[in-house]
Amino acid sequence: MTDRDSVDQHVARWQPVLPDLDPDVEGAVVRMMLLTRHLRAVKDRVLADLDLQEKEYGTLHVLAGRGGRAAPSEIADALRMAPASITARVDALVRRGFVRRIPSEVDRRRVDVALTEAGEAIWRRALDVVGDEEHRVLGALDAAERRTLADLLRRVNSAAERPTGNVGGHG
């Protein structure tokens, strides 16, 4: 058995109340939620420190993942937003010097959005802080354990992605 954590206390508190509670399921789900909450708090802190809004970071992240350039409609698709909603977001990033509008290379009627050096730099600073914390936390595992965890979570996530027809209820 490994070291005990706060979730072990949580499970122990609920087992007498819910005798059918599976301690492994409860422990895994609560730990995933707490880890997600922790990493979210780290990201929120770094974005606040950089005076960067979540939506700005998300837009910069989409652009960086597309080689630093994309059409507004591609950004909207990636962010699951209406294309008209992207204009104000891009306008704000242009004002801050993080992106610029440039003529499309494939359609002269279209304008693309491109990361500037400043935009890429601030995106990278936020990404690096969050990435460092992810590595710190998962550094509790050796490489083989991290691979096993990734494989197990892939299986769990695959199950979550499959429709069940039983949303909102047990059994």
Side-chain angles (χ1 to χ4, degrees):
M1 174 118 191
T2 59
D3 295 336
R4 294 183 58 77
D5 66 3
S6 62
V7 178
D8 292 312
Q9 295 168 348
H10 164 86
V11 170
R13 181 174 44 254
W14 282 102
Q15 277 189 300
V17 177
L18 301 168
D20 292 339
L21 180 72
D22 182 327
D24 294 328
V25 170
E26 182 70 6
V29 169
V30 172
R31 285 182 181 97
M32 286 187 285
M33 290 181 352
L34 291 175
L35 179 58
T36 300
R37 188 179 303 154
H38 169 75
L39 293 174
R40 181 67 188 173
V42 169
K43 182 178 178 184
D44 289 347
R45 276 194 307 275
V46 71
L47 292 180
D49 290 348
L50 295 173
D51 190 29
L52 196 61
Q53 295 178 24
E54 170 66 33
K55 63 185 182 180
E56 292 172 323
Y57 174 81
T59 305
L60 297 174
H61 192 70
V62 166
L63 283 168
R66 283 161 178 70
R69 178 183 187 146
S73 61
E74 294 169 327
I75 298 168
D77 286 347
L79 296 172
R80 296 183 179 111
M81 296 177 59
S85 303
I86 290 300
T87 303
R89 203 178 267 208
V90 170
D91 288 346
L93 289 168
V94 167
R95 283 192 297 275
R96 295 192 68 184
F98 295 152
V99 301
R100 60 190 171 93
R101 289 185 171 93
I102 56 174
S104 169
E105 294 175 343
V106 296
D107 183 347
R108 61 186 196 149
R109 296 168 297 171
R110 192 176 87 188
V111 174
D112 286 344
V113 179
L115 275 176
T116 63
E117 285 183 28
E120 184 172 356
I122 199 160
W123 165 76
R124 176 66 71 179
R125 285 175 60 196
L127 184 74
D128 286 348
V129 171
V130 173
D132 287 349
E133 183 62 8
E134 292 168 350
H135 284 275
R136 184 191 74 78
V137 170
L138 290 172
L141 307 176
D142 65 33
E145 290 169 325
R146 287 191 301 273
R147 172 59 53 113
T148 298
L149 177 63
D151 290 342
L152 292 171
L153 289 172
R154 181 180 302 105
R155 285 174 41 201
V156 171
N157 192 58
S158 292
E161 289 176 344
R162 283 192 296 273
T164 64
N166 188 25
V167 177
H170 295 288

